[in-house]
Every structure is written in structure tokens, then in C-alpha cells.
Amino acid sequence: MDLDIKAKRAIVGGASQGIGYAIARLLAADGVQVAMVARRSEPLDQAVARIHNETGTRTLAIPADIRKASDCERIVDTAAEAFGGIDFLVNNDGAPPLGLIAEFDDVAWDKAVQQNLMSVVRLSRHAIPHMKAAGGGRIVNITALSAIQPIARFGLSVATWAGVIGFAKTLSLEVAADNITVNTICPGRIATGRLAKVFGPDAGKGAPAADAASDADAKLAADLAKQIPLGRVGQPDEIAGLVALLLSGYGGYITGSTMHVDGGRLAGLL
Ligand SMILES: NC(=O)c1ccc[n+]([C@@H]2O[C@H](COP(=O)([O-])OP(=O)(O)OC[C@H]3O[C@@H](n4cnc5c(N)ncnc54)[C@H](OP(=O)(O)O)[C@@H]3O)[C@@H](O)[C@H]2O)c1
């Protein structure tokens, strides 16, 4: 299927590894120029070079911390200047720590709000004028299944991403007339380095995030698979594929939607 998104211009957050990397790679393979964001320069530069070498498409590294207001502005300005505009914004990044929701102090809450909610608010606000100038655009937010089916100890993410879902739905109403769509994807358990960080034996202790396929990761994926109707964890490409569809003309009539991609794990009708 030709998605007909060649030469469009995208910003993809958290793109040095995991889900963001898979999104950037798939978009670049379809000819989209991609500005890739992460904090650590070295893995980001390597990811950018790998995708460029593989696809031949223009890719750009923007090292930045999306928790900072000034970095959000710089991300959009840098991408718009390099590419001559912005058509797509994919908000995807790390997440705040796990723990009992009532025990986090104001500092932890503030960091979580900056990371999960304000980054989406700021990046969208800065990107929308460029999308309007281009005659339309697409915003896709990556949150988590826990935002619609909360899990104990995930409270910082649940609360802030619930805010993102409310923001996205409202924004979708306000920018529809400008031919800009806004949607939110809620992944279930996806095979990235983050799985071990969140569900592994050392969960919460800051285990390194990397796309490793170690025996421990394979065992963890097998254990998690038992709780998933499709009997396996998802692959990053299975999130990236939906993102690409939403960005393409085939996704043009979808806006204000919240979609779970979870192997059937959501315990509900919608
Ligand atoms: N994997 C899953 O099972 C799963 C399930 C549901 C939801 N999700 C959500 O989907 C998103 C991506 O998950 P993933 O598994 O791909 O995570 P990951 O492998 O840990 O990758 C996270 C990416 O975000 C970047 N990042 C983190 N904090 C950042 C910040 N403050 N500013 C800029 N970049 C930042 C990281 O690079 P640096 O560290 O260099 O900044 C990295 O590129 C996360 O929000 C996660 O919570 C994941």
C-alpha cells in the first residue's frame, strides 16, 4: 500500500530506540523527512545515521529534553527551519517513575506533568502554525494502555496521560477546520528495553533501556504473554504501522480518537 507521504516533514520524539525508533524508521522508509528527538546525543546520532543509511531519506538529530519548555520550542524551530515546514508531530517519550500514587511529592508530580502532558501541549502549540501554513497536518500521541485501564503503581503516567487524552480530544475539535487531525495511541506491552525496566525483576531500579534480546528479556516477554489474549507481546513496528496509517491520507477521516494496540488486553468494550 502506497501511503503517499513521501517528502512530508515529521518530528518524532523518543526516537533513539524502541517505539519512537520504529516510527522514525518506518516513516523514513516511506520517504518522510524525520527530525528525531532524544536526550542522549550518542545513541540518537547512531539511530539517525542508521536510518539514513538504510532508507536514503533525510534524517535529523535534535538532542533535547522534552520536559523543558525552551527545548520544545527549539525542537520545532530546528525541524521547521531544516525541512522548510512541519506536517507531522509524533509525541512519544519516556515516562515518569513507578510508585504508589499518594506517596509522590510535588517535585515528582511536576516532573511527570512536564514530561507527559506539558511536552505534548508545548510541542503541539509550536507545531500547529507550521501545519496550518502547510494546509494541514497530523498529531499523534503515544501514551499507554494504563491511561485507559489504570494499573497500580503507574499513577503518575495514568493521571498525566489521561490529561493528554483530554487535551488531544479538545484540540482535535479546535483544529479540524485547519485540516489537522489529532489522535492518541495506547500501546499495551511492546517488546522494547522499557519492558524490562517496568516489568522485569529490577523494575523501578533504573535498569538500562536498550533494545536487547537477552534470555532474560525473552523470558519476561514469555511471562507477560500469558496475560495477553493474542499470546505474545507486541512489536514496535505494530505501533509504527498504525502511526504511519494515521499520518497518511488513509487516516484522514480519523481524529479525536484514542486507540488501544494491546493484543486484546483491554478489559472493556471500547
Ligand atoms: N514498551 C512498552 O511496552 C510500552 C507500553 C505502553 C506505553 N509505552 C510508552 O511508549 C513510549 C515509548 O516507549 P519505549 O518502550 O519505546 O521506551 P524506551 O525504549 O525507553 O525509549 C524511550 C525514548 O524516549 C527518549 N526520552 C526519554 N525521556 C526523554 C526526555 N525527557 N526528552 C526527550 N527524549 C526522552 C529516550 O532517549 P533518552 O533516554 O536519550 O532521552 C528514548 O529514545 C513511552 O512513553 C512508554 O511509556 C511503552
Side-chain angles (χ1 to χ4, degrees), residues 120-168:
V120 175
V121 172
R122 290 174 178 135
L123 287 162
S124 302
R125 192 171 62 213
H126 295 311
I128 283 169
H130 295 286
M131 294 178 181
K132 286 183 180 175
R138 303 269 199 271
I139 299 172
V140 177
N141 307 311
I142 307 297
T143 61
L145 184 63
S146 57
I148 50 175
Q149 181 169 297
I151 307 174
R153 300 180 60 79
F154 282 65
L156 289 179
S157 283
V158 172
T160 49
W161 273 331
V164 168
I165 292 171
F167 170 79

Side-chain angles (χ1 to χ4, degrees), residues 1-269:
M1 182 162 77
D2 180 4
L3 294 176
D4 197 20
I5 50 179
K6 195 172 165 56
K8 295 284 189 185
R9 303 149 301 185
I11 296 172
V12 179
S16 61
Q17 63 187 45
I19 293 171
Y21 179 79
I23 294 168
R25 184 166 170 263
L26 188 61
L27 295 185
D30 277 295
V32 177
Q33 304 176 73
V34 188
M36 297 166 55
V37 180
R39 287 166 302 180
R40 290 166 298 145
S41 281
E42 201 181 324
L44 179 63
D45 286 342
Q46 288 168 0
V48 163
R50 214 179 309 131
I51 291 178
H52 174 68
N53 291 339
E54 200 180 307
T55 64
T57 306
R58 184 167 179 204
T59 47
L60 175 70
I62 307 183
D65 185 341
I66 48 96
R67 290 174 298 190
K68 296 181 183 162
S70 56
D71 279 20
C72 290
E73 194 168 358
R74 178 170 57 82
I75 290 166
V76 173
D77 289 350
T78 307
E81 195 178 331
F83 297 157
I86 295 167
D87 304 290
F88 307 148
L89 170 64
V90 182
N91 291 306
N92 164 79
D93 292 283
L98 306 183
L100 297 176
I101 192 166
E103 294 184 0
F104 285 111
D105 62 14
D106 283 3
V107 176
W109 273 102
D110 187 49
K111 279 189 189 165
V113 169
Q114 298 301 322
Q115 170 131 23
N116 280 10
L117 177 60
M118 288 313 296
S119 63
V120 175
V121 172
R122 290 174 178 135
L123 287 162
S124 302
R125 192 171 62 213
H126 295 311
I128 283 169
H130 295 286
M131 294 178 181
K132 286 183 180 175
R138 303 269 199 271
I139 299 172
V140 177
N141 307 311
I142 307 297
T143 61
L145 184 63
S146 57
I148 50 175
Q149 181 169 297
I151 307 174
R153 300 180 60 79
F154 282 65
L156 289 179
S157 283
V158 172
T160 49
W161 273 331
V164 168
I165 292 171
F167 170 79
K169 181 67 187 172
T170 311
L171 181 64
S172 73
L173 301 173
E174 296 177 358
V175 296
D178 299 301
N179 190 30
I180 299 171
T181 66
V182 188
N183 292 291
T184 302
I185 297 175
C186 303
R189 289 164 182 183
I190 308 298
T192 73
R194 190 164 184 81
L195 267 191
K197 209 169 162 183
V198 174
F199 296 108
D202 293 328
K205 293 183 190 163
D211 286 329
S214 68
D215 289 349
D217 287 346
K219 183 180 178 314
L220 175 63
D223 287 347
L224 292 174
K226 292 174 192 152
Q227 308 152 7
I228 301 168
L230 280 181
R232 62 178 178 85
V233 298
Q235 294 300 317
D237 274 347
E238 292 174 309
I239 304 298
L242 177 57
V243 172
L245 182 90
L246 288 170
L247 300 183
S248 77
Y250 293 103
Y253 200 53
I254 304 172
T255 194
S257 292
T258 304
M259 304 171 185
H260 48 101
V261 181
D262 61 356
R265 195 152 182 273
L266 178 69
L269 292 182

